Amino acid sequence: MLALRLTRAARPAVQLRRLLVAAASAGTGFLLLSCLAHALKHPEAASASALRLAWCAVPLAATVYLALAVARTDPGTRPRPGLSAVGLGPARLMAVSALTTALSCTLGSLLALLVFLHLRGDLTGMPFDGAATGMLAADRSLPLPATLTLLALLPATATAAVALALRPRDPVPPPRTGRGFGRFGAYGGSPRKETFGSAGRFRGRAAGPKAPATADPSATGGRAAGATVTDGDAPAPGTGAGPEPSAPAPDTEVRPPAGLPWGVALVTAGLAVQAYAGRTTPAPALAVLLGWLLTATGLVLASPGLTHLCGRLLQSTRPGALRLLAGRVLMAEAARIGRPLGVVCAVASAGYAMTALYDGTGPGPASGPLSALGALVVAGSTLATLLTAAVEARQCRADTIAALLRLGAPAGMLRGAAALRAAALLVLFVPLTLGIAALSVLPLS
C-alpha cells in the first residue's frame, strides 16, 4: 500500500521514468512471447528457438539496468532524517523501491501480453488482415505455465537486482589506531602524550620564545613585553601552553577509477579475438560473439577512467572558472556517469559494426519487426539509463549548485559548464566508438 501511495504521489518526471521502465518491460516481454510462438510454430527447430531466446538476454539486461537506474533516482524512497522513527528505515525503503520496480515491470509485462493476444486474434478478432498469423503462431494455443514463466522473468530479475543494489549496508568501521595509555597507565586512546612538566597543568610560564620588546603597548595587547603569565591569565588545565595543533585538511583529491587498465586490456583482447576469427571464411560465430563481448565489457570498464581523464584535461593549461568547474564535476561524477556512457558506446559500436558488416554486400541476419523492436528496446533503454544517471548526478550536486547560486555565481555559467562537459564527452567518446567499431568490422569484412 505504501508503494502504491508513493507511486501516485510522485512528480511527473518520476512518473515518466517509471513509464519508460514499463515500456521497456513491455517490449522485452513481447520478444519473449515471440520466442515462445516461434517454438510452437516450429517444434522441429529447437536450436533456432533457443538461439532466439538467448538473444533476448540483451534487451532483458538493458531493461533491468534501466529499472535499477530509475530506482536509484527515485526521490520518494531516498533515506531522510527521522524516517527510521516511523518505521521507514533503510531496509523498508529498499523494500518499497523493489516493490515499485516490480509494479512498473509487471505493468509492462501485462501490456505485452495484451498486445500479443490482440495481434494473435484471441481478443477481438484478427487485426491487420492476419499479417501476424504466421509470426505469432495464431493457430496454436499458448501454454499457460510457459507464458506466465516468461512474463514473470523480467519483473523477478529487476526486483532482485534493485533489492541487491539498494540493500542497507553496515557503515565501514574506522581504521584501528595504535593503543595508547592515559594518565597513570590507564588504558585509553589519547592521541597526544602528556608530559610531566606541562605548563598548562602546573600554571607555569608558557614554553616558547619571548615576544620582542616594543614601545607600543597596543602591539602586545596592552601587556608589557616579557611579562609573566599570572594565575588569572593562565590557560585552562589540560590545554597545554602553546596553541592547539590545527586539524589536518580534508583530502579533496578525487582519485581516478581503477578500471581503466583492465578496460583497455579487455578491449585489446576483444579486437585480437575478432582479428583471429577473421582469418577463416566464414568466421566462427562463437569467436565473433566472444570478441564483441570482451570489447563491450572493456568499454564499460574503461569509460569511468576516460571520463575522469576528460575532466582532468579540461582543467589543464591555466583553466578559468568555467573549465575548472566543468572539469571538477566530471572528475567527481566519473564513476556515476562513466558506466552508463560505456554501455551506450558499446551498444552504438555493436550497432554500427552490424550495419557496416551487413550493408547489403553479403548475407545478413534476418531483419524484421522483431529485430527492429529488439534494437529499439536496447538503444532506448541504454540512452534512458544515461539520462537517468545524469539526473542522479544533478540531484547529488543540488547542494553545491545552491551554494554557488547563493555566492553569486550566474546561472548562465552553470549551464555553460554543463554544455562544456557534454561537448568534451562527445569529442572523446564519439571517435572512440567509431574507431572500435571500424576495427571490429575490419577483419570480418
Side-chain angles (χ1 to χ4, degrees):
M1 185 60 67
L2 179 60
L4 287 174
R5 290 182 179 180
L6 290 176
T7 302
R8 290 177 52 191
R11 293 177 295 179
V14 180
Q15 298 286 15
L16 178 61
R17 292 196 290 267
R18 291 171 180 169
L19 287 178
L20 288 177
V21 174
S25 303
T28 306
F30 190 86
L31 291 175
L32 292 173
L33 292 177
S34 301
C35 294
L36 177 61
H38 184 272
L40 293 175
K41 185 68 176 179
H42 306 280
E44 71 282 354
S47 59
S49 300
L51 183 60
R52 284 172 174 257
L53 188 61
W55 276 111
C56 289
V58 179
L60 177 67
T63 306
V64 171
Y65 195 39
L66 174 61
L68 179 58
V70 171
R72 288 181 184 275
T73 57
D74 193 350
T77 56
R78 186 171 299 170
R80 297 184 183 91
L83 288 182
S84 298
V86 295
L88 291 177
R92 184 73 178 274
L93 291 178
M94 179 270 295
V96 171
S97 298
L99 287 177
T100 305
T101 304
L103 287 175
S104 301
C105 295
T106 304
L107 177 63
S109 298
L110 292 178
L111 180 62
L113 179 61
L114 290 177
V115 173
F116 185 79
L117 293 178
H118 176 67
L119 292 179
R120 280 170 49 93
D122 295 337
L123 297 180
T124 58
M126 189 67 65
F128 304 114
D129 297 331
T133 303
M135 184 177 61
L136 302 181
D139 54 342
R140 304 293 180 91
S141 60
L142 287 177
L144 182 61
T147 304
L148 295 181
T149 300
L150 291 177
L151 290 178
L153 181 62
L154 178 59
T157 307
T159 303
V162 170
L164 184 63
L166 301 183
R167 69 187 186 278
R169 296 177 176 86
D170 295 332
V172 180
R176 299 184 60 182
T177 58
R179 292 184 177 181
F181 293 93
R183 195 175 301 173
F184 301 112
Y187 179 80
S190 176
R192 185 179 59 181
K193 294 183 179 180
E194 297 179 352
T195 58
F196 178 75
S198 61
R201 189 187 304 171
F202 293 101
R203 302 176 183 268
R205 186 184 300 271
K210 296 182 179 180
T214 177
D216 188 7
S218 63
T220 59
R223 180 179 300 169
T228 60
V229 179
T230 61
D231 289 343
D233 298 331
T239 59
E244 289 291 333
S246 59
D251 186 12
T252 59
E253 180 67 21
V254 181
R255 293 180 175 84
L260 182 58
W262 293 103
V264 173
L266 284 178
V267 169
T268 306
L271 294 177
V273 169
Q274 293 179 22
Y276 180 78
R279 297 173 59 183
T280 60
T281 304
L286 184 59
V288 174
L289 181 60
L290 178 61
W292 279 354
L293 287 178
L294 289 176
T295 305
T297 307
L299 275 175
V300 174
L301 289 179
S303 292
L306 292 176
T307 306
H308 186 277
L309 179 62
C310 186
R312 187 173 292 276
L313 290 177
L314 276 179
Q315 304 175 75
S316 60
T317 63
R318 309 176 77 175
L322 185 65
R323 288 170 52 198
L324 187 63
L325 179 61
R328 292 295 293 180
V329 170
L330 270 184
M331 292 173 61
E333 304 293 340
R336 183 177 286 110
I337 299 179
R339 293 192 185 278
L341 187 58
V343 174
V344 171
C345 291
V347 171
S349 176
Y352 178 82
M354 292 290 293
T355 304
L357 190 60
Y358 302 110
D359 56 352
T361 58
S367 60
L370 294 180
S371 300
L373 177 61
L376 180 62
V377 168
V378 173
S381 298
T382 51
L383 286 176
T385 303
L386 179 59
L387 295 178
T388 305
V391 171
E392 181 186 5
R394 182 175 177 83
Q395 290 177 356
C396 294
R397 296 195 312 270
D399 296 338
T400 304
I401 294 174
L404 288 175
L405 292 177
R406 286 196 304 267
L407 290 175
M413 187 185 71
L414 300 180
R415 290 192 293 267
L420 183 59
R421 291 194 301 270
L425 291 176
L426 286 176
V427 168
L428 177 63
F429 280 95
V430 169
L432 177 66
T433 303
L434 295 179
I436 290 179
L439 289 177
S440 300
V441 175
L442 186 61
L444 305 177
S445 59

